[in-house]
Amino acid sequence: MSRIDALFQNKLAVLNIGAETFKTELGLQGAAALQLEWKPPAGGKQELIKALDQLTDLEKIEAANAKAVEIIISARPVLVDVDTALNVVPGMTKHTILHAGPPVTWEKMAGPMKGAVIGALIYEGLAQTEEEAVELAASGKIRFAPCHEHDAVGPMAGILSASMPVQIIENKTHGNFAYCSLNEGLGKVLRFGAYGEEVITRLKWIETELGPILKAAVKLSGGIDIRSLIAQAVQMGDECHNRNKAGTSMFIRTITPYLLRAGADPEATIRVIEFINSNDHFFLNLSMPACKAALDAAHGIENSTVVTTMCRNGVEFGIRVSGCPGNTWFTGPAQMIQGLMFPGYTMEDANPDIGDSAITETCGIGGFAMGGAPAIVQFVGGSVEDALGYSQKMFEITLGENPNYANPNLNFRGASTGIDVRKVIASGILPIINTGMAHRNAGIGQVGAGLVRPPVECFEKALLALAEQIK
């Protein structure tokens, strides 16, 4: 009996690649069949396959990527000061407004971002009314630029203007700095596009009381190690993007003794502590610049295919890649977030994806760390199994694991770190991001939360640019 004949004497187990109909039919006939989830690399697009082939197994790329990942993992972001944006943010002027995401003009801005710009212009005293602010924003006298191009990040609309206090993060390992505003809390807030009197009053209080008192406390502390706080938070159920309860609690525990010694009016100190304590998202504006400082240090490494920025402005999603110099952006349309709506709202109310907070996922936490933050599914939707699955899947598109941010639910495996443009295109797996949803109209605020992925166009454009650049 031939080997072929002998094979068919045994009960067959079939591995099916392609249309699942064949597996179904085999099952109806009593045959064991397993469906392999397989897609052609790069979606079968010949131009992308050619680029992948060109960028595979090049020693100079592997060396550059190893360097980038090591820089990210070795970063030690420390909160060293709080100061006025005009004093410390590179390139900031009295007529500069920084925003979230890749570059966008006033005319093309989403509703929440336009509302936040209006609020910032009124807050700065450059306009007195909504009408004056709109006229000024459209006049060309205001310079708009991405926070990311000025060593800064901002949640949601991400608006940063000259008089706003910023938290200053120093990457002690590599010597670079990152900046972020102070979190305003929830409700009617600037980052969601609100600009009413209560919003401006709160911003002025942050400028005149919260900022100076926090500055004095941070100076007394000698610096607060944010990497250490993130490391502890991800082992306490946070993913440090949409869940920051542990991070905020530990920050309060760390900063309070210095707040009490800062010499401020006791009632003012109480207001500061109560404000931070009432705002579970306060730590987000520390985790974001901490991730920014780590990733910026890894930006600009020749031949590297590591993603160093993911962000969105409510109209477009943008990425930057380490091996593409300066502020080279690769963009695609901002996607709609899928998740849970707050009572009274529907998906029609939601704006497309917006904010710089995806810097957390870029660094390996946020949505990438949901497996260690099971409670987050009550906010963004899905199940605990889904959260674990997302975290495990992200290892397929990254180059390393960050032991500083170990996930207890994955047997303390380090956070998946170093998104590789090549792996994203080859696998067809896009990064997972958990995020809040802003109402598409200015001033209404958050209407839900959920999950979103970048448009694949960003990574396709980046891959082709890298193939053109790296020979």
Side-chain angles (χ1 to χ4, degrees):
M1 181 182 296
S2 70
R3 294 177 65 184
I4 293 294
D5 290 336
L7 177 64
F8 282 96
Q9 296 300 312
N10 300 315
K11 189 174 182 179
L12 294 179
V14 179
L15 179 65
N16 186 59
I17 301 174
E20 196 167 351
T21 305
F22 294 107
K23 173 187 175 291
T24 303
E25 290 299 324
L26 288 165
L28 292 174
Q29 298 176 50
L34 178 67
Q35 179 68 27
L36 179 65
E37 292 186 9
W38 180 85
K39 297 177 182 178
K45 297 179 180 179
Q46 291 300 310
E47 186 181 25
L48 296 176
I49 293 172
K50 181 179 178 181
L52 280 174
D53 288 342
Q54 179 184 325
L55 298 173
T56 300
D57 296 328
L58 288 180
E59 288 187 9
K60 59 185 177 182
I61 292 180
E62 306 313 320
N65 284 345
K67 180 180 179 181
V69 171
E70 190 279 329
I71 287 172
I72 296 168
I73 292 173
S74 65
R76 187 165 73 89
V78 174
L79 174 64
V80 295
D81 201 357
V82 177
D83 207 336
T84 304
L86 183 63
N87 294 341
V88 292
V89 175
M92 177 61 78
T93 73
K94 291 182 179 180
H95 290 84
T96 295
I97 299 287
L98 304 183
H99 60 76
V104 64
T105 62
W106 165 257
E107 291 74 20
K108 293 183 179 180
M109 285 182 185
M113 187 173 287
K114 282 190 171 183
V117 169
I118 291 169
L121 294 176
I122 294 173
Y123 160 73
E124 292 290 346
L126 297 173
Q128 301 302 313
T129 65
E130 175 187 345
E131 292 74 21
E132 287 183 10
V134 169
E135 182 179 354
L136 178 58
S139 69
K141 296 177 181 178
I142 300 299
R143 175 176 174 265
F144 297 105
C147 287
H148 269 293
E149 294 184 1
H150 293 260
D151 300 342
V153 280
M156 302 310 293
I159 298 303
L160 185 61
S161 62
S163 300
M164 293 180 182
V166 291
Q167 297 173 112
I168 303 172
I169 298 290
E170 181 181 0
N171 181 345
K172 291 291 188 178
T173 307
H174 302 106
N176 62 301
F177 293 84
Y179 309 88
C180 188
S181 60
L182 295 164
N183 195 286
E184 308 160 81
L186 297 175
K188 299 284 188 181
V189 291
L190 189 78
R191 70 180 183 275
F192 283 108
Y195 53 87
E197 183 177 350
E198 64 183 287
V199 175
I200 306 303
T201 299
R202 186 188 302 111
L203 290 174
K204 286 295 183 183
W205 175 78
I206 290 172
E207 176 191 340
T208 59
E209 188 165 281
L210 173 59
I213 292 176
L214 194 58
K215 177 183 178 71
V218 171
K219 282 295 187 183
L220 284 173
S221 76
I224 297 173
D225 191 332
I226 303 301
R227 185 179 75 175
S228 175
L229 295 187
I230 293 174
Q232 294 173 69
V234 297
Q235 295 194 25
M236 296 170 66
D238 280 1
E239 37 70 75
C240 297
H241 183 169
N242 274 287
R243 182 177 172 82
N244 287 283
K245 289 179 180 289
T248 299
S249 297
M250 286 189 295
F251 181 73
I252 293 172
R253 176 181 174 182
T254 303
I255 198 68
T256 295
Y258 303 106
L259 289 170
L260 296 176
R261 295 190 184 104
D265 174 73
E267 290 300 316
T269 302
I270 290 171
R271 286 192 291 271
V272 166
I273 295 172
E274 287 180 340
F275 178 79
I276 298 173
N277 185 57
S278 67
N279 179 9
D280 286 337
H281 280 15
F282 192 87
F283 191 72
L284 173 63
N285 289 47
L286 290 165
S287 66
M288 284 175 58
C291 291
K292 168 72 170 171
L295 289 157
D296 270 6
H299 189 66
I301 298 174
E302 187 178 8
N303 301 319
S304 175
T305 60
V306 170
V307 176
T308 50
T309 304
M310 294 195 298
C311 59
R312 45 273 208 263
N313 57 33
V315 179
E316 286 188 310
F317 194 109
I319 70 171
R320 296 191 300 176
V321 180
S322 179
C324 295
N327 293 312
T328 302
W329 290 95
F330 304 102
T331 62
Q335 304 293 289
M336 295 304 299
I337 301 157
Q338 303 300 314
L340 303 177
M341 305 302 298
F342 292 171
Y345 297 105
T346 67
M347 285 298 298
E348 285 70 35
D349 296 312
N351 196 79
D353 196 17
I354 188 170
D356 284 337
S357 53
I359 195 69
T360 55
E361 281 83 6
T362 318
C363 203
I365 54 176
F368 283 38
M370 281 195 292
I376 196 67
V377 300
Q378 296 178 307
F379 187 55
V380 300
S383 66
V384 173
E385 290 76 17
D386 292 333
L388 283 165
Y390 291 133
S391 290
Q392 291 168 327
K393 202 73 172 172
M394 292 303 99
F395 289 107
E396 297 184 36
I397 60 171
T398 49
L399 294 161
E401 299 178 18
N402 189 341
N404 299 303
Y405 305 146
N407 191 326
N409 289 349
L410 295 179
N411 199 27
F412 294 94
R413 190 175 183 182
S416 49
T417 302
I419 300 169
D420 186 351
V421 169
R422 300 172 304 170
K423 288 192 170 192
V424 172
I425 295 300
S427 68
I429 300 169
L430 291 165
I432 188 72
I433 298 166
N434 63 35
T435 189
M437 298 183 210
H439 197 286
R440 64 175 57 252
N441 295 327
I444 295 177
Q446 187 172 1
V447 296
L451 303 172
V452 71
R453 294 182 189 267
V456 70
E457 294 97 316
C458 299
F459 298 90
E460 291 177 343
K461 292 174 182 177
L463 184 78
L464 294 175
L466 288 162
E468 183 66 28
Q469 182 176 312
I470 304 172
K471 302 294 186 181

